[in-house]
Amino acid sequence: MRALLVVNPAATTTSARTRDVLIHALASEMKLEAVTTEYRGHARDLARRAAESGEIDLVVALGGDGTVNEVVNGLLHNGPDPDRLPGLAVVPGGSTNVFARALGLPNDPVEATGAILDALSTRSERTVGLGLAAGTPGTEDESVPPRWFTFCAGYGFDAGVIGRVEQQRERGKRSTHALYVRQVVRQFLAEPNRRHGVITLERPGQDPVKDLALSIVCNTSPWTYLGNRPMYASPEASFDTALDVLGLTKMSTPAVARYATQLLTSTPERGPHGKHAVTLHDLTDFTLHSKARLPFQMDGDHLGLRTSVTFTGVRRALRVIV
């Protein structure tokens, strides 16, 4: 098997020595080329070249969810084709690793590497669905190119939180769960649209869902992890279906306290619920519009401000070794 290993040297939970051990373990079982990323978008470029070369059977991403997202977008640059494109394997190296853990891989990179080698020896793989987000035709964001996401996207509040976290990281702060919690509080106190939502969800053949103050799009479940605790925003979301949406129409202090508690105590059977919660399952095509420019994130990567985003849920988009 010919494989490309894409290594993010800034991965937060792996040392240089650990990465060397993982590379040697993988190289013992396949013809491996290991490349360390040098700039933002490098993982995408490497994966795209691997996909277009026709010479690579497998691309392994060693890093966090951001690295995985770049690799996926490189592999699918010319569209999904699971039977022709290289497969994907993920060695978790970030602080949260939602995609890898949602696939059932261990969160420890050494254990995950062992699981991947076992899966390769038994030819164990699955084909997963992904989400695609793009600028909406006829809006000021129509020129925004499509981009794939593996586990979630957020428009509004949660994207604002991620933007704040990225600002803190640029100032030298470590990416910890405590850092995220602090930024959630700060975003809530500064959120201008929490009492009167400005987001509208539109889908073909259905009445629009108006006045959302928060919108989270899930491609799988759990939505994220707080330490070792999984959090289920949309428990029915699955790699085998299209996209799920959780929306909140009110974010007053009592409402946020209630829904935050529901998230912290959520289970695979029950997520946030109540009169201000909107839950939609298995959506293939829909658009989120806003009356004001709002922050947007995909797979934990802040992508700036948007007035409208069009989503597509694509089943059977990518072959994953697991």
Side-chain angles (χ1 to χ4, degrees):
M1 175 175 285
R2 297 162 299 179
L4 169 69
L5 174 64
V6 178
V7 182
N8 179 0
T12 56
T13 59
T14 58
S15 64
R17 179 174 296 180
T18 300
R19 290 192 289 272
D20 285 343
V21 170
L22 301 180
I23 290 170
H24 281 98
L26 291 167
S28 68
E29 299 295 330
M30 62 191 76
K31 185 177 180 181
L32 184 73
E33 177 188 5
V35 181
T36 299
T37 58
E38 299 176 356
Y39 54 86
R40 188 175 182 132
H42 194 185
R44 178 197 61 224
D45 296 342
L46 291 168
R48 178 182 176 182
R49 287 199 290 269
E52 293 176 346
S53 72
E55 298 177 353
I56 300 297
D57 304 303
L58 176 69
V59 176
V60 184
L62 198 173
D65 288 309
T67 303
V68 174
N69 180 277
E70 285 195 18
V71 168
V72 167
N73 276 277
L75 287 172
L76 301 187
H77 178 79
N78 296 311
D81 190 347
D83 296 327
R84 183 186 63 83
L85 290 172
L88 170 70
V90 178
V91 178
S95 59
T96 310
N97 308 305
V98 179
F99 181 65
R101 294 163 84 176
L103 286 170
L105 288 169
N107 198 36
D108 178 81
V110 176
E111 293 182 9
T113 299
I116 290 168
L117 293 175
D118 288 344
L120 288 170
S121 67
T122 60
R123 300 181 181 272
S124 176
E125 60 184 42
R126 64 180 293 191
T127 303
V128 299
L130 298 173
L132 184 67
T136 304
T139 72
E140 61 184 270
D141 295 316
E142 66 179 348
S143 63
V144 176
R147 179 165 170 169
W148 297 90
F149 60 97
T150 63
F151 64 91
C152 84
Y155 188 44
F157 181 83
D158 81 306
V161 172
I162 286 173
R164 288 175 177 272
V165 170
E166 289 189 0
Q167 288 177 348
Q168 294 298 312
R169 292 187 66 181
E170 289 172 358
R171 295 170 184 167
K173 298 291 182 65
R174 290 185 64 248
S175 178
T176 64
H177 297 292
L179 176 64
Y180 275 88
V181 171
R182 288 197 299 271
Q183 302 316 310
V184 167
V185 174
R186 291 174 180 171
Q187 180 67 23
F188 172 74
L189 294 174
E191 177 61 53
N193 304 306
R194 58 189 172 96
R195 295 187 180 277
H196 304 286
V198 295
I199 301 171
T200 297
L201 186 151
E202 296 182 350
R203 49 188 169 144
Q206 302 286 337
D207 292 334
V209 180
K210 299 181 178 180
D211 302 326
L212 296 176
L214 174 149
S215 55
I216 295 172
V217 182
C218 293
N219 184 52
T220 189
S221 192
W223 163 57
T224 191
Y225 292 82
L226 188 61
N228 290 322
R229 180 191 293 274
M231 299 173 67
Y232 300 88
S234 297
E236 289 187 286
S238 166
F239 287 128
D240 298 319
T241 61
L243 302 174
D244 284 27
V245 177
L246 169 67
L248 298 181
T249 58
K250 189 175 184 180
M251 292 186 65
S252 63
T253 301
V256 167
R258 180 168 61 253
Y259 292 121
T261 300
Q262 290 179 357
L263 267 176
L264 288 169
T265 59
S266 58
T267 69
E269 291 75 36
R270 191 168 179 82
H273 54 278
K275 65 178 181 179
H276 301 301
V278 176
T279 56
L280 302 170
H281 176 57
D282 198 16
L283 303 186
T284 302
D285 299 283
F286 63 96
T287 297
L288 294 173
H289 299 285
S290 172
K291 299 173 185 176
R293 291 179 67 79
L294 296 179
F296 178 58
Q297 67 89 9
M298 291 168 58
D299 286 347
D301 187 10
H302 188 270
L303 299 177
L305 303 178
R306 305 280 178 86
T307 56
S308 184
V309 185
T310 294
F311 293 87
T312 305
V314 181
R315 296 180 179 88
R316 291 186 52 79
L318 183 67
R319 188 166 47 88
V320 181
I321 307 303
V322 66

